[in-house]
Amino acid sequence: MRFLCTIFSLFLLQILSAQTWTALDTNGETPARANASMIYHPAENALFVFGGRTSAGFQNDLWKLDLWTNTWSEVEVMGDIPVVRHTQNALFDEESNQMLVFSGQGSGLYNDVWTLDFNTLTWTERSPNGNGVGLPQKRYGTITVFDPNAHRLVTFGGFGNAGTARQDDT
């Protein structure tokens, strides 16, 4: 048994040590930004980056990095667009082919939920920003996951009251 554990440990060490980061040369330019959210869309083999902060302020634009060509392009979208924000969460629902965006900070704090339908490139507000029964407190900087079986978002923590209060709820 000890021999098998040693072999497995050496195999695992070899796999982990083989992982390296490589800078990706891309075509096109997206404005440098911080605190944006990103999803990977497997059917398109692309990364989609939403919002964040640039030198011009908070953003609500959408950019695509095509991983087949390593090319950046801004995505033209329709519908009501989420207000500018940073430190929001973006998640991908493969079954509905939608990106979900929750929370963030801009001119205030948000607890709204938006979807972007990749079939039509249309934004739809699913849950408005507000303080109601059953809604999480407005916040930013959370960790959020999408539960595809229950079709729900589960979020934890973050900051409320413009960063002065850390949240520890789920």
Side-chain angles (χ1 to χ4, degrees), residues 30-36 49-55 59-63:
T30 176
R33 63 189 62 223
N35 305 113
V49 177
F50 172 74
R53 244 182 359 200
T54 69
S55 59
Q59 304 297 314
N60 63 349
D61 52 355
L62 182 68
W63 289 82

Side-chain angles (χ1 to χ4, degrees), residues 3-168:
F3 175 74
L4 289 176
C5 289
T6 303
I7 295 294
F8 177 74
S9 296
L10 290 173
F11 175 72
L12 187 58
L13 182 61
Q14 182 180 12
I15 289 173
L16 294 176
S17 65
Q19 306 300 312
T20 58
W21 286 96
T22 303
L24 184 63
D25 291 326
T26 59
N27 304 306
E29 291 189 29
T30 176
R33 63 189 62 223
N35 305 113
S37 54
M38 179 179 63
I39 62 146
Y40 172 68
H41 192 299
E44 295 196 29
N45 194 34
L47 300 176
F48 287 87
V49 177
F50 172 74
R53 244 182 359 200
T54 69
S55 59
F58 303 140
Q59 304 297 314
N60 63 349
D61 52 355
L62 182 68
W63 289 82
K64 174 183 179 179
L65 176 60
D66 183 320
L67 295 172
W68 296 117
T69 63
N70 295 339
T71 302
W72 283 104
S73 60
E74 187 168 6
V75 179
E76 297 293 325
V77 296
M78 299 183 298
D80 293 330
I81 300 171
V83 297
V84 296
R85 63 186 68 203
H86 68 93
T87 59
Q88 69 283 342
N89 295 121
L91 306 110
F92 183 60
D93 177 2
E94 191 167 11
E95 183 179 317
S96 67
N97 196 33
Q98 294 181 342
M99 178 171 69
L100 299 93
V101 171
F102 167 71
S103 78
Q105 180 182 28
S107 61
L109 299 180
Y110 306 106
N111 63 353
D112 51 355
V113 177
W114 291 81
T115 57
L116 175 71
D117 185 325
F118 282 103
N119 298 314
T120 63
L121 292 178
T122 302
W123 281 105
T124 303
E125 185 177 36
R126 298 296 179 184
S127 177
N129 194 47
N131 296 315
V133 175
L135 293 176
Q137 180 180 353
K138 296 177 183 181
R139 63 188 65 205
Y140 70 98
T142 67
I143 183 69
T144 303
V145 296
F146 176 67
D147 177 352
N149 295 324
H151 291 88
R152 67 180 179 176
L153 297 174
V154 179
T155 192
F156 173 77
F159 298 91
N161 303 322
T164 59
R166 290 184 184 265
Q167 305 299 313
D168 65 354

